[in-house]
Amino acid sequence: MVLVIDPQIAGISGDMMLSSLVHLGANKSKIISGVSASQNFLHGSKIKKIDFKKVNKHGIQATSLVLQIDEHHHERKGVEIQNCIKKTADKIGLSESAKTFAANSIATLIKAESKIHGVPTDSVHFHEASSIDTVIDIVGTAIALDDLRCFDEEIITTPVSVGSGTVTFSHGTVSNPAGAILEIFDKSKILISGSNVKDELTTPTGASILVNLADRCSEFYPMMNIKSIGYGAGQKNFDGFSNVLKIIRGESAKNTRLDSVTILETNVDDISGEVLAHVIDKIMANGAKDVSVIQTITKKGRPSHMISVICDSDSVSQLLNLLVSETGTLGVRIRTSDRFLVPRQIITMRVKINNKIFTLRCKVASTGSHKQFKVEYDDIKSISEKLALSFKQTEELIKAEVKKQLK
């Protein structure tokens, strides 16, 4: 099973996340009972009313959290909220996965505030996040995910909309996204994007929940059979779109998997074939997944070559600098792309060729009842040299032996 969290239009907040899981089918009575226990561990906070109701957000029927609390605290230490979450999680018997998620979510929020203000984590003071509703959002989400048994599933998020404009809070007015949001998403590999909405669409609590849930970020939905959909309503209303967080649960395709790669492309028209060969070798040696060179005709009929590099996001900076320094190009196009992969494994095999035993590596992929395979180039080359045969002859002999073993 796979769970897709889709905050690319309306962003994400803690109550939107919780409400979308209730809409998806989580037991709301279990959630209400569980989060109500938290008021016993947070002095000066009382839950007067908590429920979930159906609302219409710009034409979309969604679920919304109804919460009334009685509080007299405008500021609390982050560790107070943290201790409350831990004690509540222990009291209501959350699974270990749910406890870890809840603990990590509040720790992420505290760490972000600690870095922004330059104070130790145990000295962080919450203002906007000091209310018991932070506890309700995190613990409630943990209960809902436990109830739906989502912790064993692959969880994917689409890029997160954060809005634009300015945000005014206890520390004054700042540009949106505020520092806490940036710190939370820093190094998470979750993409964020602004929009023409002059408002905060993603809250620190929502961001903390997301980075501790998502296994990866994808611009596209995976190949899946949809089983259920949940819509969690935010508290605000906007004219141009439905302020809802969408969550989709389904069965992923069994014969493929999806990952995300970065593609670097540049056109060069003034370098030799020898330089191109050198660039290809150097790019592959520095972490690229693949590189290709395509002959093209550019402006004014100039013959040129387009160099296309596929890599992980972690390798972008190094490979970008290498492309510029080795080719002299004045510009490189960068884009992110999802790719479908047939599951494969690399196995080591022993084969007998011309009465000699060799060990080689073989990449094997299964598509239904059919097995595809590819023997490592370096191994074919090494065996051909030892047998004093041509590469083509050696490859044919090896393939025949591998086919026998795979059957």
Side-chain angles (χ1 to χ4, degrees), residues 191-263:
L191 301 173
I192 67 170
S193 65
S195 69
N196 58 4
V197 180
K198 305 293 184 182
D199 211 327
E200 181 187 57
L201 296 181
T202 292
T203 67
T205 302
S208 297
I209 287 172
L210 188 62
V211 300
N212 286 289
L213 266 186
D215 297 305
R216 60 186 176 90
C217 179
S218 171
E219 292 185 80
F220 309 101
Y221 282 35
M223 191 177 293
M224 62 189 292
N225 293 315
I226 296 172
K227 298 299 180 182
S228 54
I229 307 167
Y231 296 97
Q235 300 302 313
K236 299 174 183 176
N237 292 310
F238 298 99
D239 292 333
F241 63 95
S242 301
N243 187 26
V244 297
L245 174 69
K246 182 166 52 180
I247 293 187
I248 302 92
R249 194 181 194 189
E251 292 181 354
S252 59
K254 293 181 180 179
N255 64 334
T256 61
R257 69 181 179 87
L258 188 72
D259 74 354
S260 184
V261 293
T262 301
I263 299 175

Side-chain angles (χ1 to χ4, degrees), residues 27-42:
N27 188 320
K28 74 173 186 178
S29 296
K30 185 185 293 187
I31 295 167
I32 291 170
S33 175
V35 299
S36 294
S38 64
Q39 58 193 325
N40 298 319
F41 306 110
L42 199 61

Side-chain angles (χ1 to χ4, degrees), residues 261-264 283-284 287-292 308-312 315 319 339:
V261 293
T262 301
I263 299 175
L264 311 178
I283 285 172
M284 292 302 298
K289 291 180 177 293
D290 200 3
V291 57
S292 58
S308 180
V309 180
I310 300 175
C311 63
D312 289 325
S315 305
L319 293 175
R339 62 174 184 171

Side-chain angles (χ1 to χ4, degrees), residues 268-269 295-305:
V268 292
D269 59 9
Q295 285 190 316
T296 61
I297 300 294
T298 57
K299 60 185 180 182
K300 299 180 180 179
R302 291 174 183 163
S304 67
H305 295 89

Side-chain angles (χ1 to χ4, degrees), residues 43-56:
H43 178 71
S45 295
K46 182 174 178 59
I47 301 173
K48 297 172 64 177
K49 180 181 180 180
I50 180 169
D51 200 358
F52 296 90
K53 68 176 182 179
K54 296 293 184 183
V55 296
N56 191 289

Side-chain angles (χ1 to χ4, degrees), residues 32 39 46 60 65 69-70 89 116 118 127 159 164 184 195 247-248 262 267 291 295 306 314 331 347 384 396 401:
I32 291 170
Q39 58 193 325
K46 182 174 178 59
I60 300 294
L65 172 64
I69 56 178
D70 185 12
I116 292 168
H127 297 276
S164 63
I184 290 166
S195 69
I247 293 187
I248 302 92
T262 301
N267 289 81
V291 57
Q295 285 190 316
M306 183 179 75
D314 294 342
I347 61 175
S384 72
E396 289 175 350
E401 288 299 311

